Amino acid sequence: MLTKIIAHRGSKGIRPENTLPAFEKAIEEGADGIETDVHMSKDKHLIIMHDETVDRTTNGTGRIFDKTLAELKRLDAGGYFGYDYLGTQIPTLDEVVQLLIKKHFTGLFNLELKTDKIQYPGIEESVSAYMNQQTLPFKIIYSSFHPQSLIKMHALNPTVEFASLFKLQTKFARKFYRNQLVKDWHPDIRWVRAHRFFLPHVQLRPWTVNSTEDMRYCFKRHFDGIITDYPGRAGIIRQAIQGG
């Protein structure tokens, strides 16, 4: 089976991350999956962005949780990347999901709840309620660095697939796998490299696999997936190693 190529925040390497242009490009490049991150605004809207603050990827400052949707929509989330993307807005979860539906995306949609630094009140219930209202052509996978979010989401969605995210510590990942709460591990590629002789028999989808060397390493070992900023380049390398 081919190793799945999952676009990290969309085609983050060549488009402004976590924006509709980045997700459109990932689909265009044939990504098998899309990974993104969800926060909550001051007025309880589900917001797609990686950081807890808007400082790094927009022309604004401050925490997402302290801003309304209207305030967030006035920010430029593309200009930092290049002139061609001036005026690109921060998307909501609904806008991303509707784009994927419109584009007939049928792969994996890995939604990370960004609750490891800010525990947004009710975000698990809001995400579950929204996603469960949709007729989705794609498969949803929930992940988080925050164990309590995984526990809450699993209680709300016991039949959905879950993944443990981690950089170094595997305590909760091992516990959740034993208890059948998670099916997949999404470890830092550096952890994978350091434990290459003792890798567990679980579905591995390392992040962030960007170098040609790391891509080849993962494809040769037929990991279940890789999470990468460059899905187009990954597809070319996978073709050379795995065919298909």
Side-chain angles (χ1 to χ4, degrees):
M1 194 166 67
L2 295 178
T3 297
K4 300 176 187 69
I5 296 170
I6 301 169
H8 185 229
R9 308 177 207 170
S11 284
K12 173 180 174 289
I14 57 175
R15 295 290 187 274
E17 65 176 67
N18 274 339
T19 63
L20 296 185
F23 299 127
E24 285 186 289
K25 188 62 177 177
I27 295 170
E28 179 186 316
E29 292 184 320
D32 304 300
I34 288 173
E35 184 272 350
T36 190
D37 316 276
V38 63
H39 298 261
M40 185 176 275
S41 68
K42 183 178 181 179
D43 49 352
K44 307 299 183 183
H45 288 275
L46 297 169
I47 304 299
I48 297 299
M49 184 173 281
H50 179 267
D51 300 359
E52 287 73 21
T53 70
V54 301
D55 300 49
R56 182 176 61 86
T57 56
T58 80
N59 61 340
T61 60
R63 299 190 308 174
I64 294 169
F65 193 50
D66 294 329
K67 298 181 184 298
T68 65
L69 176 61
E71 290 171 327
L72 291 166
K73 282 294 186 182
R74 286 197 286 269
L75 300 178
D76 185 330
Y80 81 95
F81 197 86
Y83 182 82
D84 290 344
Y85 301 101
L86 280 173
T88 301
Q89 292 185 325
I90 299 169
T92 62
L93 175 61
D94 179 58
E95 288 171 326
V96 173
V97 168
Q98 297 310 316
L99 172 69
L100 300 187
I101 292 172
K102 178 182 176 182
K103 296 290 185 178
H104 307 290
F105 177 71
T106 58
L108 304 177
F109 183 55
N110 179 187
L111 185 61
E112 178 186 346
L113 277 72
K114 296 293 290 187
T115 49
D116 51 317
K117 295 180 181 177
I118 299 175
Q119 281 78 62
Y120 300 101
I123 190 172
E124 295 87 0
E125 291 80 2
S126 293
V127 169
S128 295
Y130 172 75
M131 296 302 289
N132 291 339
Q133 290 170 1
Q134 308 302 313
T135 301
L136 302 174
F138 51 82
K139 179 179 180 179
I140 183 74
I141 298 172
Y142 292 120
S143 63
S144 181
F145 282 102
H146 185 53
Q148 289 304 315
S149 278
L150 288 179
I151 292 170
K152 287 181 184 179
M153 289 298 289
H154 188 269
L156 293 165
N157 307 274
T159 61
V160 175
E161 189 172 325
F162 290 84
S164 278
L165 272 166
F166 60 90
K167 292 182 180 179
L168 298 173
Q169 297 297 324
T170 62
K171 174 184 175 182
F172 286 107
R174 293 182 187 279
K175 178 182 177 181
F176 288 163
Y177 183 73
R178 286 196 304 269
N179 295 341
Q180 299 183 334
L181 192 147
V182 304
K183 184 178 179 181
D184 323 302
W185 283 15
H186 292 185
D188 190 318
I189 184 61
R190 293 169 293 185
W191 181 91
V192 173
R193 290 284 209 168
H195 295 80
R196 61 189 180 279
F197 299 119
F198 306 100
L199 290 174
H201 296 291
V202 301
Q203 289 188 166
L204 289 177
R205 301 185 188 122
W207 55 271
T208 304
V209 182
N210 284 342
S211 72
T212 297
E213 181 183 3
D214 282 343
M215 288 180 184
R216 291 179 61 84
Y217 175 88
C218 295
F219 291 142
K220 285 181 177 179
R221 283 154 184 79
H222 288 265
F223 290 160
D224 185 74
I226 65 167
I227 300 172
T228 178
D229 296 343
Y230 300 97
R233 177 154 55 86
I236 294 170
I237 295 171
R238 182 181 65 180
Q239 172 70 27
I241 294 173
Q242 296 184 351

